[in-house]
Amino acid sequence: MNEFNSSLLREKFVIHDAKAGDDGATTALSNRFVVDLHDKKNKVIETFIVRGHNMHSVVRMAARIIYDFNTSGPIANRAKYDWSKTWDSIVNDYEFAYNSQRWIAVYHEGKCTFAAGEHHPFLDMIEKCDEGNDQDYDYAIPMAEKLFQKAGKNIKIDHDANVALSVNFENNEGRLGIILRGSNKTTTFSFATRSKKETDAFNIPQCLGSAAAFLEGVQLAFLVGMNMEKIRIGIIERFSKEEKQTKEGRERLKRLSSEISNLESAFDVRYRPEKPEFHLLMAEAEELGQRILEPPESKESHDGDDEEMVE
């Protein structure tokens, strides 16, 4: 498969129950990626929807699905396709150790084919509704509201979605745009890839893997940078789980950088405006931490204050 187009959506659903009032609202969060698998004539022969707790895991799961499709053909009708093994292969040691909330769900023809971890059951309804209509994905929202009405429930659904990653692969070239929205700023950049030789095979899964590395690395660099400042001023204690997580986060960033370097060795890669460098992002986060974080009050100062009050 040499052509592939899709977008990664960051989604938030707020489900309001009229009888329960504002206190009865339920929120469902998800990242969603559509994986259309094409034959040699560029005809879509099966489609999977991947949802998950974090962006990079969703993209890696999609990349693995494409890889297995390219290697061994259609997946949906295989008798022994091991989804659990596929999921385990993309959950790295850092994720396993420090993200207990991780989850993934894969849908085919409106049904949940595989799930690991706990996802909101409302997402299953949305995928069922999307499969049952021939209009845009947004139309699944009013369809879900109608299903609730048939069940005797007056439900209003608010849907907020924004694109975090857009990918376009064709003619042995790929264009990927990444948009990361943080509390302080939005980071946007893109990169284009192409085979160094026309005879070289174009590796879509590897390109998607590098996009996942950027998605993970930019967020992780911010976390590590802030934590390093917290360690320096004593908010995070020595030998704590948070200190260990920070150190292992730095090692994880090195592995992500190597993954991106492997892509740059295999393909011609062009960045616009520039390639995000994780060590620089960490330094920026540390500087931010120096401006907004305050050292914790020491136990000695508390004790001294108490003595003054007693006197």
Side-chain angles (χ1 to χ4, degrees):
M1 188 175 80
N2 292 320
E3 296 191 11
F4 179 73
N5 299 278
S6 191
S7 296
L8 175 68
L9 289 182
R10 299 178 65 184
E11 291 189 295
K12 177 181 180 180
F13 299 93
V14 182
I15 305 104
H16 301 273
D17 188 338
K19 292 183 179 180
D22 293 338
D23 294 336
T26 302
T27 301
L29 302 174
S30 173
N31 298 286
R32 183 180 191 263
F33 200 60
V34 179
V35 184
D36 289 326
L37 301 174
H38 304 257
D39 62 13
K40 293 182 179 179
K41 296 181 180 179
N42 202 34
K43 178 183 177 182
V44 177
I45 59 175
E46 59 183 4
T47 297
F48 292 96
I49 310 296
V50 183
R51 288 186 178 272
H53 174 254
N54 55 43
M55 295 180 288
H56 60 87
S57 293
V58 169
V59 176
R60 287 194 177 94
M61 191 69 166
R64 182 57 188 267
I65 290 172
I66 295 172
Y67 173 82
D68 288 347
F69 175 81
N70 288 344
T71 303
S72 304
I75 294 172
N77 294 326
R78 292 191 203 177
K80 295 182 178 180
Y81 186 77
D82 194 337
W83 286 103
S84 294
K85 183 178 180 181
T86 300
W87 172 235
D88 290 344
S89 70
I90 66 172
V91 178
N92 58 76
D93 293 343
Y94 182 85
E95 191 81 14
F96 184 83
Y98 299 109
N99 183 12
S100 60
Q101 296 181 327
R102 65 188 179 279
W103 63 267
I104 202 82
V106 182
Y107 299 85
H108 175 65
E109 296 182 347
K111 298 179 181 179
C112 188
T113 298
F114 170 75
E118 296 184 6
H119 69 279
H120 200 291
F122 174 76
L123 301 174
D124 296 347
M125 175 184 284
I126 285 294
E127 292 304 333
K128 180 180 179 180
C129 292
D130 183 49
E131 181 65 23
N133 79 82
D134 55 1
Q135 301 188 49
D136 291 338
Y137 170 61
D138 289 340
Y139 193 71
I141 310 301
M143 284 191 67
E145 291 176 338
K146 290 179 181 178
L147 284 179
F148 278 118
Q149 290 173 3
K150 289 181 179 179
K153 297 182 178 181
N154 185 9
I155 299 295
K156 178 69 171 66
I157 302 168
D158 293 330
H159 178 222
D160 181 38
N162 53 69
V163 175
L165 169 70
S166 62
V167 298
N168 183 303
F169 296 98
E170 59 183 356
N171 300 324
N172 282 343
E173 293 186 2
R175 297 185 181 277
L176 303 92
I178 297 176
I179 305 97
L180 288 169
R181 294 171 175 84
S183 57
N184 297 311
K185 64 177 181 179
T186 297
T187 302
T188 303
F189 73 98
S190 64
F191 64 99
T193 64
R194 63 179 300 172
S195 301
K196 290 186 175 181
K197 298 180 181 179
E198 293 185 0
T199 55
D200 291 344
F202 192 71
N203 193 328
I204 292 176
Q206 185 178 4
C207 293
L208 287 176
S210 293
F214 278 120
L215 287 168
E216 180 181 0
V218 170
Q219 291 190 325
L220 183 56
F222 179 83
L223 172 67
V224 170
M226 289 293 287
N227 279 4
M228 289 172 64
E229 176 60 17
K230 290 178 181 179
I231 291 170
R232 188 186 70 82
I233 64 177
I235 294 177
I236 292 178
E237 297 180 355
R238 292 193 62 193
F239 310 116
S240 65
K241 181 179 179 180
E242 290 80 5
E243 185 191 47
K244 183 179 180 183
Q245 178 181 3
T246 303
K247 291 181 178 179
E248 294 186 7
R250 296 182 69 174
E251 293 303 313
R252 176 64 184 161
L253 285 169
K254 292 178 182 178
R255 291 192 290 271
L256 293 173
S257 295
S258 296
E259 187 174 345
I260 294 166
S261 295
N262 290 338
L263 179 79
E264 294 168 343
S265 297
F267 299 95
D268 287 329
V269 183
R270 303 182 305 280
Y271 294 96
R272 181 179 296 180
E274 66 269 332
K275 173 184 174 181
E277 298 287 356
F278 298 148
H279 68 280
L280 295 179
L281 295 176
M282 279 193 296
E284 291 176 2
E286 281 190 80
E287 291 176 1
L288 176 62
Q290 291 171 8
R291 295 197 301 270
I292 67 174
L293 297 174
E294 295 183 1
E297 295 183 22
S298 66
K299 184 177 184 300
E300 289 77 6
S301 65
H302 278 297
D303 292 343
D305 291 342
D306 292 341
E307 291 174 0
E308 286 186 16
M309 292 174 64
V310 171
E311 293 176 353

